[in-house]
Amino acid sequence: QVQLVESGGGSVQAGGSLRLSCTASGDTYSNSYMAWFRQAPGKGREGVANIRTDGITSCADSVKGRFTISKDNAKNTLYLQMNSLKPEDTAMYYCAADRIAWELMPNYANWGQGTQVTVSS
């Protein structure tokens, strides 16, 4: 099992940037497939971006060209760089990890508590 703690959320104006961090502890070697999800009020959990153990990444069409996922294995930290933020990006953002490559499906076994991102127009 792995423990995940997100940070870096906040309130920004449209067009601004934020960088989210997710620090992992525990069995990080096994649970090396990681992803970012988000959930807006009244909506389901949406996959934002994921990274495989070989470093290959993918992201949702809604954030393509604006968000970048990366990972620092030495620090056991996952990042999400968010640029050109829009009001529709407002949501709680969650980090997830698993030993299975779920890609952007919300089937990960390990989840953080989330960090709130609010984008005002």
Side-chain angles (χ1 to χ4, degrees):
Q1 198 164 1
V2 63
Q3 293 75 44
L4 305 169
V5 179
E6 302 97 333
S7 62
S11 297
V12 296
Q13 289 191 325
S17 298
L18 283 173
R19 188 177 81 156
L20 306 183
S21 299
C22 171
T23 302
S25 59
D27 189 8
T28 58
Y29 180 79
S30 297
N31 295 278
S32 56
Y33 293 99
M34 300 188 74
W36 287 99
F37 287 79
R38 66 185 181 186
Q39 188 165 16
K43 295 189 176 181
R45 194 161 289 191
E46 175 192 19
V48 176
N50 72 282
I51 186 165
R52 300 169 63 99
T53 54
D54 56 8
I56 293 176
T57 64
S58 61
C59 64
D61 288 343
S62 59
V63 305
K64 205 162 286 185
R66 300 188 298 122
F67 292 9
T68 303
I69 188 171
S70 63
K71 188 179 177 187
D72 185 332
N73 290 319
K75 296 182 178 180
N76 288 325
T77 301
L78 181 73
Y79 300 101
L80 184 68
Q81 178 66 45
M82 305 186 295
N83 299 327
S84 302
L85 282 160
K86 304 176 181 180
E88 50 263 45
D89 295 319
T90 295
M92 185 73 77
Y93 283 70
Y94 298 91
C95 172
D98 205 324
R99 57 188 67 209
I100 298 173
W102 294 112
E103 307 293 353
L104 295 180
M105 293 183 289
N107 299 334
Y108 290 75
N110 304 283
W111 294 84
Q113 294 299 308
T115 185
Q116 178 68 37
V117 172
T118 303
V119 185
S120 58
S121 57

